Amino acid sequence: MAAALASLLLGAAEIPPATVASILFGGAAEAEIETAGGSLEPEMARSIVLQLRLPRCLVGLLVGAALAVAGVLLQGLFRNALAAPGVVGTSAGGALGAVLALSFGLGLRSRYPVPLGAIAGAFASLVVVARIARHRGRTSITDLLLAGVALNAFLSALNSFVIARAWIDHEVARRINFWLMGGIADRDWSHVAIALPGCAAGIALAIAHARDLDLMLQGEDLARSLGVDGERLKNVLLLATALLVGSAVAVSGVVGFVGLVVPHVVRLAIGPSHRALVLLSAVAGAAFVLLSDLIARTAVSPGELQLGIVTAFVGAPFFVFLLIRERGRVETL
């Protein structure tokens, strides 16, 4: 809540908290607002809050929650705390779908082809990985991981090829590079509508199968003896991951470290129970993305950094710190 409030209050235009509260609850600013850059008309303040900052805040909430929950599912599925949403190729597939839409100029004509291309790419990469890893009716976790690594490399090469081909058009190249660095600037209510269904469905699936995922941590044989259909569970978790990552990439581009760092931190704090882990990771992921976006848009004001740059700058050192601290704790014990 604090991160969301800060996201609504802070920015290039300084709007007082009372004015923001009045606008959010159906009122409007009654007088001009004095800012460092001059006075701000009441209608302009209303437009900034409702058409710029609020949808951007909601998109940040959805992206952070989706990526964090996807990380929880993959870390549970692979029984490895270093698993991340990109491990099965969904992030790279979503990026390729968006890059293709941009390279053909579709993103210059309408706002919908790029996110729809990202969602289609995420699901297509999932289908390919799942098909490769499936043999005689069973999906091997090891094969799933290896297929994901191989597909990631292949899709990254395809992305590079498309960018190289599009480089003659500087506007297309700029849009592609900004997309690959991740960001939620200039997002509006249509982006909220694009991200919300997939994020909600993915989180609902994660919560509904949290107990089964707890049992899978004890091994597939034990989980099967307790009534868990392991193959169905893998398919459901992969579907939920594709929904979450595809919806996030569709509106934000590629944002790294959220799905790796946030679930790991929450698991250290509360333990491995997946029902609580999913819910708290969603909240922590949303807060992490909102705070990172706040840094991105205020650190070099009046310009902006890309969100993916900030999450990497913050997430990578913090994750290394956690690993060193955890290793020291284990050695002490």
Side-chain angles (χ1 to χ4, degrees), residues 251-307:
V251 295
S252 69
V254 180
V255 179
F257 277 96
V258 180
L260 175 64
V261 174
V262 172
H264 189 78
V265 172
V266 175
R267 185 179 286 104
L268 289 176
I270 68 167
S273 176
H274 279 89
R275 187 175 298 275
L277 192 56
V278 166
L279 294 172
L280 292 180
S281 292
V283 174
F288 179 61
V289 167
L290 284 180
L291 292 174
S292 297
D293 181 57
L294 195 60
I295 295 172
R297 70 191 199 198
T298 58
V300 293
S301 182
E304 286 194 20
L305 294 172
Q306 288 299 106
L307 176 61

Side-chain angles (χ1 to χ4, degrees), residues 57 141 232:
C57 174
I141 295 297
R232 177 182 175 277

Side-chain angles (χ1 to χ4, degrees), residues 77 130 133-141 216 220 224 228-238:
L77 180 63
R134 192 168 183 81
H135 180 64
R136 295 181 179 178
R138 294 181 63 85
T139 301
S140 165
I141 295 297
M216 284 287 284
E220 288 192 47
R224 190 181 304 112
V228 177
D229 186 340
E231 293 306 308
R232 177 182 175 277
L233 180 62
K234 292 172 190 174
N235 291 333
V236 170
L237 295 182
L238 289 174

Side-chain angles (χ1 to χ4, degrees), residues 110-157:
S110 170
R111 69 188 63 186
Y112 295 105
V114 174
L116 293 178
I119 293 172
F123 273 93
S125 63
L126 171 71
V127 170
V128 171
V129 169
R131 183 68 186 87
I132 293 172
R134 192 168 183 81
H135 180 64
R136 295 181 179 178
R138 294 181 63 85
T139 301
S140 165
I141 295 297
T142 302
D143 289 349
L144 197 64
L145 178 61
L146 295 175
V149 171
L151 187 63
N152 264 322
F154 180 70
L155 293 177
S156 296

Side-chain angles (χ1 to χ4, degrees), residues 24-184:
L24 289 177
F25 291 103
E30 297 179 358
E32 288 188 349
I33 301 166
E34 294 298 327
T35 69
S39 60
L40 192 65
E41 294 290 337
E43 196 57 37
M44 180 61 71
R46 181 180 177 84
S47 178
I48 289 173
V49 173
L50 295 183
Q51 302 303 322
L52 295 178
R53 292 186 183 175
L54 184 56
R56 181 171 182 163
C57 174
L58 293 176
V59 168
L61 286 170
L62 291 171
V63 169
L67 293 177
V69 173
V72 170
L73 295 181
L74 290 174
Q75 289 175 12
L77 180 63
F78 290 107
R79 297 194 287 275
N80 189 328
L82 295 179
V87 76
V88 291
T90 48
S91 292
L96 179 61
V99 165
L100 287 173
L102 286 167
S103 67
F104 286 113
L106 301 179
L108 301 176
R109 304 170 193 169
S110 170
R111 69 188 63 186
Y112 295 105
V114 174
L116 293 178
I119 293 172
F123 273 93
S125 63
L126 171 71
V127 170
V128 171
V129 169
R131 183 68 186 87
I132 293 172
R134 192 168 183 81
H135 180 64
R136 295 181 179 178
R138 294 181 63 85
T139 301
S140 165
I141 295 297
T142 302
D143 289 349
L144 197 64
L145 178 61
L146 295 175
V149 171
L151 187 63
N152 264 322
F154 180 70
L155 293 177
S156 296
L158 281 179
N159 272 325
S160 299
F161 174 77
V162 173
I163 293 171
R165 296 288 295 177
W167 196 257
I168 54 174
D169 189 329
H170 294 290
E171 177 61 21
V172 170
R174 186 186 68 82
R175 285 174 173 261
I176 289 174
N177 280 324
F178 270 88
W179 181 270
L180 293 177
M181 287 188 285
I184 56 175

